[in-house]
Amino acid sequence: MAHRFRVWSVLAAVACCLLATAPAGAQPAAGDGSPTSSPWNVVILNDADPTLPAFVAIDRGIRAVLSAPGRHPVNVFPETLDLFRFRKSQIEAETVALLEHKFAGTQLHAVIALGAGSLGFAEAHRARLWPDARIVFSGVPVEWLRGRTLSPMTVGFPLQHDLTGTAELALRLQTGLRRLIVIAGSGEYDRIMTAVARSQLDAHYKTLAIEYWLDRPIADFLSGVAGLRSTDAVLYLSIARDSEGRTFVPRDVMHQLAEVSPVPIYGPAETYLGAGATAGRVYSLQERGRRTGELVQTLLSDPATPASALRPLTSTCVADARQLERFGMAGRLPGDCEVRFAPPSLWRDYPWHVLAALAIVLAQSALIFALVLQRRMRRRAEEEIQRRRMELGQASRLAVAGELTATIAHEINQPLGAILANAGAAESLLRRGTPAADEMREIIGAIKQADLRASEIIQRVRALVSAQPTERRFVEVNEVVAETLTLIKGEASRRRIVIDTALGPGLPPVMADRIQLHQALVNLCVNAMDAMNDTHVDHRRIEVATTAVDGGVEVTVSDSGSGIAPEHLRRLFDSFFTTKAQGTGLGLSIVRSIVEAHGGTLSAENRATGGATFRIVLPVHVAGEARSKDAVAGARATSPGGAPLPERTLPDAS
Amino acid sequence: MNEAVIHVVDDDPDMRAAITRLLRAEGYEVRSYTSVGEFLLNRTNGPGCLVLDLQMPGPNGLELQESLRSDPAAPPIVFLTGHGDIASGVQAMKNGAIDFLTKPVDPEVLLQAVTAALARDREMRDARARTAAVEARLSRLTVRERSVYERVIAGRLNKQIASELGITERTVKMHRAQIMAKMEAGSLAELVHIADLLGIPARSPVR
């Protein structure tokens, strides 16, 4: 942001400076140090309507030079002979008299003659009108100059028309061009142009057919052009007067022709571009004007300048973008061609501004992108931390449980071993005869003691399980199932067990301790996996399903093992009940503890299709937190039916 | 006094009491200890076997077994543990335990193991006694008789022995008779057997 501010402020500063200095240049510098500070008087003489665009352009160029700041002061006198409209013979004498009268008291230093007519006039009446003036001509065809002698005071720029160049351009742009129609009117200027054309073109082209349409009424010109074929093109020279004597501004005729022409019209004049001409090799009028002005300056400041120091002008290729577009010729334009009238394009006119804006936008976009990325990375990192933390919690609990199991196993085995050994002793004694009652009493007492000790251990286990810091939150059961499956899928695939899930949609969230639910599900799944140890590899399948039930969520874990033997069903969830050779008998009882702590129910049944299904139903809400504390006491256990199971009692010795 | 004694080492009081009771009910003489240290302190060389727990404060059962390895008079061991892991079991058996049992143990199984242990103990004692007796007999031989004995069991002819030792054949025969009497052997085979038993190398003929 700061950078952009800086750019604009610099631009503003520069603009201010420019504006400040501009007014200073507007004033004419009075007195530049030259000895004669009296201004030069210069007549600009043109032979047609001075408001014609061509003359306006030249005039602008001339004045720009003559009136430039720091130059010798100049008075400019524009005069017109208007020979396009009026025949020279009609008005000449009166014109001369008028001019003589006008400039009687004025010393004229230079006469700028624009056009052949003007030059002829200036030369002819030189002695009378401006004997001491330098005559500088411009816009006079070479052909007109040929064979005439000019006074030694006269120099100038012969007008060149690069008709050859224009015809070449036409051939290049129109690949199928066969015939070039050269159009010119009946006026004096028109005829001059025609002569120029003939001299330039006729000798040149053998393959290109050149046809001259001259001396026709304007309507014929228009209808003729309208009927041209695609292999034709038009080279329009000038129609200042048609055969019926109507006068025109040649440029306006260009307009009319362009409107009806189905083919490109090429024009050798700069002013035709923009009036409908497609392209042409032209001599920049303004440039011509400037050169003329320069020449006047030079001659007046240093009269000894040799006339042969003139250099001819070179034509430039100019094309109208709109016409190129219309005829589909944009691709064939030569590289040095100036394309005008292109639709205003931001890119073309202000490339640096556009680039700067683009660069700023790109920089901002990059910044935004980087920030968003960083944010996403941070969020992902946080999620990762959360997940790891949860995993750690889970892992530590499982580790505890694992250690627990080993410790429990070891501890439990002591009292159990004692019980068994005592029983064995009793048997032995009985076998050998009738043992003393005291001894029997001792044995029985030891057995009871050991049993109680075992009970204590179990209670401790249950307390440990239930007393883990419980965090009761609303959990999505399907999520917990998914997480559980992630935990066990490694082991499942190792045992070639396929896990199917049928997770019901739209389950209500359940108030539960996520970790404990995990534990319960893991135990059920491990149990299911163990049940299939003897099942054929191809038929090992666990299915975990969830559905919504009245007031809660039901989770089932089914296996395709051999099912539960009916005599085991009753004691399935008891502590230390196991059918496995290496089983601790604790897995399912832990599940029961957890389910009960959540106020749910746990049941198991055999499936008709083989294997067993364990069913947990979890209520959406648990009636009070006190539930978990009850589990710590470990006293009561409820069967699926809701009725409490008989408390563990031991037969009395007596 | 020569009655075999079963030594029960277990730090768990209930278990110790129960096993002791069981074994006594079967008519065995039982002594119980709470730790390896207590057992070692009160050790005698009498016949018997060990019923040994694994996890105990102080040296555990395997360590005791290890330390008794070099003692030929050590009683055979039956391990009885509540914490049976495979590595311990393998090590125990490799080091010569009679059995490795886990609690809770079927009383029958324990009794069978104890029986086997005591039998083993008797065997070893008998073997030791036999060896001792034979060694005593060997010590009765004179030096000369000893030399002859070594050559006899190598299968040498009397003639050869005589030339080697620089005595007459008749003397050799006389020595032979004495050896047979002192060693209480009835044949050459028996002499060889005794030599094997005691680890006496046969003197090969000098080439």
Side-chain angles (χ1 to χ4, degrees), chain B:
Chain B
M1 200 44 239
N2 262 347
E3 173 106 35
V5 174
I6 304 179
H7 306 276
V8 175
V9 186
D10 193 326
D11 65 318
D12 182 85
D14 290 351
M15 200 57 201
R16 201 171 56 239
I19 298 285
T20 307
R21 198 172 284 129
L22 171 63
L23 292 172
R24 284 205 183 123
E26 283 295 314
Y28 290 108
E29 178 80 27
V30 180
R31 274 186 229 146
S32 63
Y33 313 87
T34 58
S35 68
V36 165
E38 200 186 321
F39 165 71
L40 287 173
L41 280 174
N42 294 304
R43 194 175 157 210
T44 58
N45 273 336
C49 67
L50 268 171
V51 173
L52 197 48
D53 188 13
L54 212 51
Q55 308 276 64
M56 284 179 284
N60 66 28
L62 287 175
E63 283 165 359
L64 176 60
Q65 183 188 36
E66 188 65 38
S67 75
L68 290 176
R69 261 199 338 159
S70 48
D71 183 349
I77 301 175
V78 172
F79 280 99
L80 179 59
T81 174
H83 196 76
D85 70 295
I86 293 176
S88 303
V90 168
Q91 192 187 337
M93 297 311 287
K94 274 189 180 171
N95 281 345
I98 297 295
D99 213 335
F100 189 89
L101 304 173
T102 51
K103 301 173 194 171
V105 67
D106 187 335
E108 270 309 308
V109 171
L110 179 61
L111 290 171
Q112 278 174 17
V114 163
T115 309
L118 290 174
R120 179 75 190 280
D121 184 58
R122 269 197 303 278
E123 265 174 41
M124 283 173 34
R125 282 176 188 275
D126 288 347
R128 278 201 298 277
R130 276 201 305 280
T131 312
V134 171
E135 268 178 352
R137 280 184 244 150
L138 187 68
S139 65
R140 284 196 245 147
L141 295 179
T142 64
V143 173
R144 181 43 58 89
E145 281 166 354
R146 180 69 185 264
S147 317
V148 170
Y149 177 60
E150 283 171 12
R151 285 162 178 80
V152 162
I153 58 171
R156 310 274 267 289
L157 297 172
N158 291 344
K159 203 184 332 200
Q160 289 166 321
I161 298 173
S163 73
E164 260 179 60
L165 292 177
I167 51 178
T168 62
E169 210 177 314
R170 209 168 140 245
T171 316
V172 170
K173 284 195 198 153
M174 216 175 63
H175 281 315
R176 266 183 96 132
Q178 279 285 64
I179 290 166
M180 290 287 226
K182 286 186 186 174
M183 297 301 288
E184 292 174 32
S187 64
L188 175 60
E190 273 184 59
L191 285 180
V192 173
H193 181 66
I194 288 167
D196 276 343
L197 192 66
L198 297 179
I200 299 170
R203 191 68 72 89
S204 342
V206 177
R207 296 226 185 238

Side-chain angles (χ1 to χ4, degrees), chain A residues 560-583:
Chain A
S560 61
S562 47
I564 311 166
E567 61 266 22
H568 293 152
L569 264 174
R570 211 170 50 82
R571 302 166 53 202
L572 203 53
F573 299 110
D574 288 352
S575 310
F576 309 112
F577 173 81
T578 178
T579 56
K580 303 178 204 167
Q582 298 297 333

Side-chain angles (χ1 to χ4, degrees), chain A residues 510-523:
Chain A
V510 164
M511 175 74 97
D513 177 12
R514 198 187 199 87
I515 305 293
Q516 286 190 346
L517 278 194
H518 269 163
Q519 181 110 44
L521 284 173
V522 164
N523 285 0

Side-chain angles (χ1 to χ4, degrees), chain A residues 36-336:
Chain A
T36 44
S37 52
S38 61
W40 293 328
N41 297 315
V42 178
V43 170
I44 300 184
L45 186 67
N46 73 58
D47 57 4
D49 183 350
T51 64
L52 283 179
F55 286 123
V56 170
I58 296 176
D59 188 71
R60 189 179 297 144
I62 296 173
R63 284 183 198 256
V65 171
L66 292 181
S67 311
R71 304 275 193 155
H72 193 111
V74 174
N75 289 334
V76 176
F77 298 94
E79 294 289 342
T80 179
L81 300 176
D82 211 352
L83 293 176
F84 275 15
R85 276 188 265 247
F86 301 96
R87 287 235 139 77
K88 202 165 48 166
S89 47
Q90 288 174 276
I91 55 166
E92 192 166 12
E94 286 84 348
T95 310
V96 175
L98 177 60
L99 287 172
E100 193 181 19
H101 185 71
K102 270 186 176 178
F103 298 115
T106 320
Q107 190 208 359
L108 297 169
H109 298 88
V111 173
I112 299 179
L114 301 177
S118 305
L119 181 58
F121 184 91
E123 288 275 295
H125 306 287
R126 172 196 190 82
R128 193 166 155 194
L129 294 174
W130 30 68
D132 304 318
R134 302 296 301 257
I135 299 180
V136 177
F137 65 86
S138 177
V140 177
V142 171
E143 291 72 15
W144 189 90
L145 290 168
R146 221 173 272 142
R148 286 179 214 249
T149 32
L150 301 169
S151 90
M153 299 282 272
T154 305
V155 290
F157 296 98
L159 174 66
Q160 293 149 284
H161 293 279
D162 192 356
L163 298 173
T164 319
T166 305
E168 291 285 349
L169 189 59
L171 275 174
R172 181 166 168 160
L173 287 173
Q174 266 177 275
T175 42
L177 183 61
R178 298 271 178 73
R179 183 167 67 143
L180 187 65
I181 312 289
V182 182
I183 294 182
S186 317
E188 188 163 336
Y189 179 70
D190 307 335
R191 288 191 205 282
I192 293 173
M193 287 304 300
T194 310
V196 171
R198 283 201 201 272
S199 71
Q200 286 195 10
L201 295 175
D202 286 356
H204 249 103
Y205 294 95
K206 312 294 182 231
T207 51
L208 180 67
I210 302 184
E211 219 176 275
Y212 289 87
W213 291 0
L214 316 162
D215 291 325
R216 299 184 190 190
I218 187 70
D220 281 5
F221 278 125
L222 291 171
S223 60
V225 162
L228 291 177
R229 294 190 296 275
S230 61
T231 52
D232 302 326
V234 173
L235 180 61
Y236 171 66
L237 302 177
S238 163
I239 298 178
R241 184 140 52 91
D242 73 349
S243 60
E244 286 170 357
R246 292 162 67 187
T247 54
F248 305 93
V249 174
R251 190 181 182 213
D252 294 344
V253 180
M254 176 77 235
H255 254 298
Q256 293 179 46
L257 289 172
E259 255 167 49
V260 300
S261 169
V263 299
I265 303 183
Y266 300 91
E270 197 178 8
T271 46
Y272 291 168
L273 265 300
T278 300
R281 291 209 78 95
V282 306
Y283 292 91
S284 164
L285 292 160
Q286 198 151 344
E287 181 63 25
R288 210 173 345 128
R290 296 180 67 92
R291 296 286 289 273
T292 309
E294 298 274 352
L295 185 56
V296 167
Q297 290 268 333
T298 316
L299 289 175
L300 291 181
S301 352
D302 183 13
T305 314
S308 59
L310 307 166
R311 265 167 287 126
L313 304 164
T314 44
S315 66
T316 40
C317 169
V318 195
D320 184 337
R322 301 166 297 187
Q323 297 298 327
L324 288 176
E325 181 78 30
R326 179 177 157 200
F327 293 109
M329 300 194 295
R332 292 196 281 274
L333 200 63
D336 63 335

